[in-house]
Amino acid sequence: MIPFNVPPCVGDELEYVKQAIDAHKICGDGAFTKMCNSWLEERFHAQKVLLTTSGTTALDMAMLLCGLQPGDEVILPSFTFSSTATAAVLAGAKLVFVDVRPDTMNIDETKIEAAITDKTKVIVAMHYAGVACEMDTIMDIARRHNLMVVEDAAQGVMSSYKGKALGTIGDFGCYSFHETKNYSMGEGGALVINNPDYNERAEIMREKGTNRAKFFRGQVDKYTWVDFGDSYLPSELNAAYLWAQLLHADEINENRLASWHRYREAFQPLVDAGKIELQHIPEGCTHNAHMFYLKCKDLAERTEFIRFLKENDILAVFHYIPLHSAPAGEKFGRFDGEDVYTTAESERLVRLPMYYGLTEADQSKVIAKVLEFYEK
């Protein structure tokens, strides 16, 4: 079976994990955590980056730092993972879902303004498949309505919008380093803070509400509990694993992009024949080949397509069930406007095997079977 995903591994991970063990420092915020933070800051020109236990907890921190209060509203797409919504709900907010653009499956920036009320506090820009939302428009709306912007860039590490790394445009950005992502630490993520006014609050929140980070920098002679917080620090073992991959970040990125472009070239004739649709990359957006998806004619065709590939030992999968139609979505939020594309497009989308190290032989088999299906 050709898998849908294989967690990335460059070969040096165990050596760095061993270094962490030998240093007798395997809890959070050791040398590897700091090196990963610095690498991400320097590479993406980010004001401050803090590794977290997951992309979900990075989102949790971002929503709390936005100062959400019970009854506040957060505007977000329904076509996203539950973490995007749960972070806002945990902070006490109500969810306001808006429709997506069919070309990128990102939030439709033209639908945001109509969803704003006097309770709106945050807009979430979730960059689906590592392709940027229309951030100039979103940031303009946020500025005019005095709203904060959280970028859910879980899938967007190494992607950019008009030369700016995803995660560095809004007030906060959130990355994921889950095993399904381009760069992995098993479970992990990172919070990007783009306004230095939030640096200290974020450090305190991440360190169980203490000023421990200041203590270790020698800024205070003892540390104590000073505010609300939680344990958002990942283990040094996880950070060491990630460090190996960050050192090979360009190699991983180029390998994935090569696979993405092979798919794209192979399936262009199906697009030209009107049999499928492929992912659109808007002008000014640089993507990271996080996924390769195509859109079938409808749900029935997609079901048959996935079944056909599985019978031929290829695992292809669909993606999110729109959150507004889920039990929790109905409980915690509402859909603003008309669901023109969210549900209909989500039922057509199917993701093909895509991972670092996907062999040309395996990819050639995937391509051949996709073409065979559409020749029938």
Side-chain angles (χ1 to χ4, degrees), residues 205-374:
M205 184 183 294
R206 182 169 167 261
E207 278 276 20
K208 303 95 173 169
T210 73
N211 58 353
R212 186 168 177 262
K214 271 189 163 183
F215 171 72
F216 282 117
R217 286 196 297 266
Q219 293 173 288
V220 292
D221 58 4
K222 60 182 178 181
Y223 72 88
T224 187
W225 183 29
V226 295
D227 205 344
F228 168 83
D230 210 326
S231 184
Y232 295 123
L233 276 72
S235 162
E236 271 295 280
L237 302 180
N238 298 62
Y241 192 99
L242 177 63
W243 178 244
Q245 294 179 21
L246 294 182
L247 294 178
H248 292 267
D250 291 309
E251 173 192 326
I252 293 172
N253 198 47
E254 289 163 9
N255 179 271
R256 295 183 70 109
L257 283 167
S259 295
W260 192 93
H261 285 294
R262 278 198 296 273
Y263 276 142
R264 186 86 188 196
E265 183 178 358
F267 299 142
Q268 190 59 45
L270 297 180
V271 176
D272 296 340
K275 294 185 176 182
I276 64 170
E277 292 177 18
L278 294 180
Q279 182 179 10
H280 173 65
I281 312 298
E283 185 177 353
C285 297
T286 301
H287 73 104
N288 61 355
H290 173 65
M291 71 175 75
F292 190 95
Y293 67 80
L294 57 84
K295 289 182 180 177
C296 302
K297 180 177 67 176
D298 52 28
L299 178 58
E301 182 178 281
R302 184 182 75 176
T303 301
E304 178 64 17
F305 177 65
I306 291 174
R307 183 194 63 77
F308 174 80
L309 292 181
K310 190 172 183 180
E311 288 175 351
N312 285 277
D313 297 322
I314 298 166
L315 185 60
V317 298
F318 55 85
H319 216 176
Y320 314 121
I321 305 299
L323 296 183
H324 75 279
S325 59
E330 294 175 350
K331 180 179 180 180
F332 297 119
R334 60 182 171 83
F335 198 99
D336 187 85
E338 188 179 354
D339 173 10
V340 178
Y341 296 114
T342 299
T343 299
E345 296 297 306
S346 70
E347 291 179 345
R348 300 171 57 210
L349 188 148
V350 57
R351 298 178 292 161
L352 298 181
M354 169 61 80
Y355 47 86
Y356 170 63
L358 174 62
T359 66
E360 287 198 38
D362 281 352
Q363 189 175 22
S364 294
K365 179 180 177 180
V366 176
I367 290 169
K369 290 302 175 183
V370 171
L371 295 176
E372 181 183 332
F373 177 85
Y374 280 102

Side-chain angles (χ1 to χ4, degrees), residues 24-173:
H24 302 161
K25 175 67 175 177
I26 63 172
C27 68
D29 240 10
F32 285 105
T33 301
K34 289 180 168 61
M35 288 192 294
C36 289
N37 291 342
S38 295
W39 190 96
L40 293 163
E41 288 170 358
E42 292 166 11
R43 181 60 185 260
F44 302 145
H45 304 289
Q47 189 274 139
K48 189 172 185 64
V49 176
L50 297 171
L51 283 195
T52 59
T53 48
S54 65
T56 303
T57 53
L59 283 162
D60 290 347
M61 289 183 67
M63 292 298 177
L64 291 168
L65 289 165
C66 284
L68 288 173
Q69 300 294 321
D72 289 344
E73 293 181 349
V74 172
I75 295 173
L76 71 163
S78 175
F79 188 70
T80 183
F81 191 54
S82 60
S83 296
T84 317
T86 298
V89 172
L90 283 173
K94 298 289 186 181
L95 307 174
V96 179
F97 300 109
V98 297
D99 210 3
V100 296
R101 293 170 43 158
D103 59 345
T104 61
M105 300 301 288
N106 284 332
I107 191 169
D108 186 338
E109 67 280 1
T110 69
K111 307 296 184 188
I112 293 172
E113 203 146 17
I116 295 172
T117 71
D118 58 358
K119 296 179 181 179
T120 307
K121 294 294 186 292
V122 176
I123 301 169
V124 181
M126 186 277 205
H127 304 298
Y128 185 68
V131 177
C133 297
E134 180 44 58
M135 291 305 294
D136 282 351
T137 301
I138 292 172
M139 295 305 294
D140 176 65
I141 293 169
R143 278 192 293 268
R144 287 189 286 106
H145 292 273
N146 195 30
L147 304 177
M148 300 193 79
V149 174
V150 173
E151 291 180 76
D152 182 344
Q155 303 171 7
V157 178
M158 296 288 280
S159 295
S160 64
Y161 173 82
K162 297 185 178 179
K164 293 183 179 180
L166 299 193
T168 68
I169 304 165
D171 295 282
F172 301 102

